[in-house]
Amino acid sequence: MKNKKTKIALISMMIFLMSTVMAFAEEVDIAQVNADKYGFLTLIPPIVAIVLAFVTKNVVVSLALGILSGGIILNFAGFNIFYTIVQAFLDLVNRAVGSLADPWNAGIILQVLAIGGVINLVSKMGGAKAIAEALSKKAKSARSAQIITWFAGLLVFFDDYANSLIIGPMMRPVTDGMKISRERLAFIIDATAAPVAGIAIISTWIGLEVGLIGDAFNSIGVDQNAFGVFLSTIPFRFYNILILAFIVITALLLKDFGPMRKCELQARRGGQVLEDGDKLNEQISKEHDDLEPLEGVTPSVWNAIIPIGTLIIAALIAFYYSGYTAIMGSEDAATIAIMQNSPISFAAIREAFSNSDASVALFQSALFAGIVAMAMGVFKKMFTVAQGIEIWIDGMKTLLITCVILICAWSLSSVIKELGTAKFLINYLSGSIPAFTLPSIIFVLGAIISFATGTSYGTMGILMPLAIPLAYSINPDMSYVIVSTSAVLTGAIFGDHCSPISDTTILSSMGAGCDHIEHVRTQIPYSLFIAAITIVFGYIPAGFGLPVYVVLPLALIAVFVGVQIFGKSVEVEQE
């Protein structure tokens, strides 16, 4: 009996120890462990993906090889190379499946496809052509066409994905008619997507941004209104503001530099392209114009205004409803009271948008807009119900490659996260620094991480818990902390805007009908130019304590002067 009791006690102790070890294992930060273990090797997947994207000009292959390289590192089995490669391939498949299994990602894929269907319906109903003709009357020149595109991008402020997918197809015929390159159009779309959504007071971004700010202040025991801090950072979001100003300045002056100028000159000359420095070839477009209406259909702007207007209004309603139901199902008594007592107040709308599921809301609105567009087409006897569904599905087909690229980008982000790439960068680059340089260093860190990982959300989530406590420990003055906080938010935007593996960059190139690698290649010099001005004329003076009403005009003047110095005219004589 005694022996039996001893065995039971030993078994119980073993179970307790195993459960303790398992619980401890769950608490271990795998990313940090891998960052310490692999060191510089954690940089291989993003470097492989980015370098190959430029070399091969094939995004899918580049992303896939980047994922495989990460899988090889994680599953390395010594001399058994064959086993390592097989495991890396299986890891790639599992990550792709896992990406689609994520509800947020699935919602993004569905809304991309659904919006593609809506755009195709609008096109076949003659709405896109009518809008293009109406806008072309306003767009009398390349200048006005670019300004109109920029302004249209500002109007779709609530979500960067919606911006990229709506503005591109709508403005493409207008900019084509004014001989503006697809690369320039993609740049304008991209620069009015994440940079606008990131500073909008009501958008799908604000929930994450305000939430991260609040958590960071709570972690150091400082009572601050997170939304108030967010509002205070807006004037210091130099990269966002300067890239928007840069579009207007270069459009009005008709000046470009770097690869973008070559593309603009090529477009102005009617499609000629300079290759290998010597050989001048005419670029002949053989692609079918998907914006042409069905035969016998009379173009009408209402065939675009009603479906696209439905998409935007339904999206805003869906955001509110999604956030409202999430809040009412939570245990946050204060927020619930706001929704109950003043459901249409600014505070209520802000909270609803902050708590909404953007991917689902956008899919709901795109699906509803598609139904409205089909109903219009059937009612006006443009097509039958069966034909309308076929047109809707054909529109989805054009964006299948976008979905493939998105899945690959998410899978690469997954392997980068597990390897601890971002944590390695932070640990390696962090250290004792002068106070005035902290905002600039945070911006650079955010830019590097977001460019390497292609995600602004992930970058914000990594840096915000570190930046606010660090800034507060160096200088507890709130103005200094706010500048450092803004550096996190705008540094993360840099990568979202120009990284070749960023969702928004991918969608912008697709929306503009531009080769993705060409979009990235022509856009990066502009992004780096604005990033340099952001640091030199923005965050360094702000780090010294200069007020924003001095710093921001100074930075804007620097952008104008820089364009005058480096930019050259893209106007050519008409033959």
Side-chain angles (χ1 to χ4, degrees):
M1 178 66 77
K2 183 178 179 180
N3 189 33
K4 187 176 181 181
K5 288 181 178 179
T6 303
K7 288 181 179 179
I8 292 173
L10 288 172
I11 292 171
S12 301
M13 185 177 293
M14 288 176 64
I15 293 172
F16 172 76
L17 290 173
M18 288 175 66
S19 63
T20 304
V21 170
M22 290 175 65
F24 174 76
E26 289 176 358
E27 292 176 1
V28 171
D29 188 341
I30 298 299
Q32 187 62 62
V33 171
N34 286 335
D36 296 336
K37 178 180 179 181
Y38 297 113
F40 280 99
L41 293 179
T42 62
L43 300 176
I44 289 178
I47 289 174
V48 167
I50 291 168
V51 171
L52 287 181
F54 285 99
V55 174
T56 67
K57 299 187 183 299
N58 189 307
V59 183
V60 175
V61 171
S62 303
L63 290 172
L65 290 176
I67 300 164
L68 277 174
S69 66
I72 289 172
I73 295 172
L74 290 170
N75 296 280
F76 187 69
F79 291 104
N80 196 341
I81 302 298
F82 179 76
Y83 175 82
T84 300
I85 293 174
V86 170
Q87 290 300 312
F89 174 76
L90 295 176
D91 184 65
L92 182 152
V93 173
N94 290 334
R95 291 183 191 279
V97 173
S99 297
L100 274 178
D102 182 270
W104 169 269
N105 292 348
I108 295 299
I109 293 292
L110 290 173
Q111 63 109 340
V112 166
L113 295 175
I115 289 178
V118 173
I119 297 300
N120 199 41
L121 282 166
V122 169
S123 302
K124 298 307 179 187
M125 291 164 60
K129 186 173 184 179
I131 288 287
E133 291 173 352
L135 288 174
S136 63
K137 294 177 182 177
K138 300 288 184 182
K140 302 295 184 181
S141 64
R143 287 187 179 91
S144 56
Q146 292 181 68
I147 296 299
I148 288 171
T149 305
W150 174 83
F151 182 70
L154 297 184
L155 293 179
V156 189
F157 59 86
F158 55 87
D159 184 75
D160 53 331
Y161 291 160
N163 184 308
S164 301
L165 291 170
I166 292 172
I167 303 303
M170 287 292 103
M171 294 306 300
R172 194 190 308 161
V174 180
T175 54
D176 283 352
M178 293 297 164
K179 294 186 177 181
I180 297 168
S181 67
R182 293 284 178 87
E183 289 81 3
R184 176 73 185 183
L185 174 61
F187 166 66
I188 296 174
I189 296 168
D190 209 349
T192 56
V196 171
I199 58 176
I201 296 176
I202 296 177
S203 74
T204 54
W205 286 56
I206 193 171
L208 176 76
E209 293 171 316
V210 172
L212 290 173
I213 291 170
D215 289 343
F217 275 106
N218 290 335
S219 68
I220 56 176
V222 176
D223 185 18
Q224 281 289 332
N225 181 286
F227 185 70
V229 173
F230 169 82
L231 291 177
S232 300
T233 65
I234 291 177
F236 295 98
R237 308 280 279 278
F238 298 120
Y239 182 84
N240 303 51
I241 297 169
L242 296 180
I243 198 72
L244 293 173
F246 178 80
I247 297 171
V248 176
I249 292 169
T250 52
L252 292 177
L253 296 177
L254 284 181
K255 287 187 174 182
D256 284 290
F257 56 84
M260 185 70 79
R261 183 170 184 268
K262 293 182 180 179
C263 291
E264 281 292 274
L265 290 173
Q266 162 194 324
R268 297 294 196 279
R269 290 167 179 156
Q272 291 180 319
V273 60
L274 188 65
E275 294 180 355
D276 300 327
D278 298 317
K279 197 161 71 171
L280 189 65
N281 295 324
E282 184 178 355
Q283 184 182 19
I284 303 173
S285 175
K286 297 181 180 180
E287 63 180 10
H288 174 67
D289 189 358
D290 293 327
L291 296 178
E292 282 298 312
L294 295 172
E295 187 177 351
V297 170
T298 303
S300 170
V301 293
W302 292 106
N303 293 342
I305 291 174
I306 293 176
I308 299 300
T310 299
L311 174 61
I312 295 173
I313 294 171
L316 295 173
I317 295 172
F319 287 142
Y320 180 86
Y321 177 76
S322 174
Y324 178 86
T325 53
I327 290 169
M328 299 308 290
S330 69
E331 297 180 357
D332 189 342
T335 310
I336 291 173
I338 293 174
M339 303 304 293
Q340 290 176 335
N341 298 330
S342 51
I344 59 172
S345 65
F346 175 78
I349 294 172
R350 182 192 71 219
E351 293 295 338
F353 272 63
S354 299
N355 289 276
S356 65
D357 187 332
S359 64
V360 174
L362 281 170
F363 174 57
Q364 291 169 339
S365 57
L367 186 60
F368 180 66
I371 294 170
V372 170
M374 275 191 274
M376 285 180 62
V378 172
F379 179 76
K380 292 186 175 183
K381 297 182 179 179
M382 297 178 183
F383 45 73
T384 64
V385 174
Q387 290 171 333
I389 293 174
E390 185 177 344
I391 292 170
W392 187 60
I393 293 174
D394 282 340
M396 293 182 179
K397 291 177 183 178
T398 62
L399 290 175
L400 282 177
I401 184 62
T402 303
C403 297
V404 173
I405 294 172
L406 285 173
I407 292 169
C408 289
W410 289 326
S411 300
L412 180 61
S413 177
S414 170
V415 77
I416 286 171
K417 181 179 179 181
E418 185 175 340
L419 275 172
T421 304
K423 289 186 179 294
F424 169 75
L425 286 173
I426 292 172
N427 294 338
Y428 185 75
L429 298 175
S430 62
S432 57
I433 50 175
F436 78 93
T437 64
L438 180 62
S440 300
I441 290 174
I442 291 172
F443 173 79
V444 171
L445 264 176
I448 292 172
I449 295 169
S450 60
F451 187 86
T453 61
T455 169
S456 53
Y457 281 17
T459 303
M460 292 176 190
I462 291 164
L463 283 182
M464 194 66 79
L466 302 175
I468 289 180
L470 180 59
Y472 190 80
S473 66
I474 293 175
N475 184 352
D477 183 72
M478 275 308 299
S479 60
Y480 179 79
V481 178
I482 285 170
V483 172
S484 300
T485 304
S486 73
V488 175
L489 300 173
T490 196
I493 291 289
F494 175 90
D496 196 289
H497 175 215
C498 68
S499 172
I501 58 177
S502 162
D503 299 357
T504 313
T505 308
I506 293 166
L507 294 178
S508 296
S509 56
M510 296 299 175
C514 169
D515 179 79
H516 180 60
I517 301 304
E518 285 302 303
H519 168 44
V520 174
R521 187 178 69 89
T522 54
Q523 179 168 264
I524 282 181
Y526 286 175
S527 298
L528 292 174
F529 172 73
I530 296 299
I533 292 178
T534 295
I535 295 168
V536 176
F537 294 94
Y539 283 120
I540 289 178
F544 277 114
L546 265 68
V548 71
Y549 58 78
V550 173
V551 176
L552 188 55
L554 181 67
L556 289 169
I557 292 171
V559 172
F560 179 81
V561 173
V563 171
Q564 292 284 32
I565 294 172
F566 298 108
K568 294 182 180 180
S569 175
V570 295
E571 293 183 282
V572 295
E573 293 292 331
Q574 294 295 325
E575 296 181 2

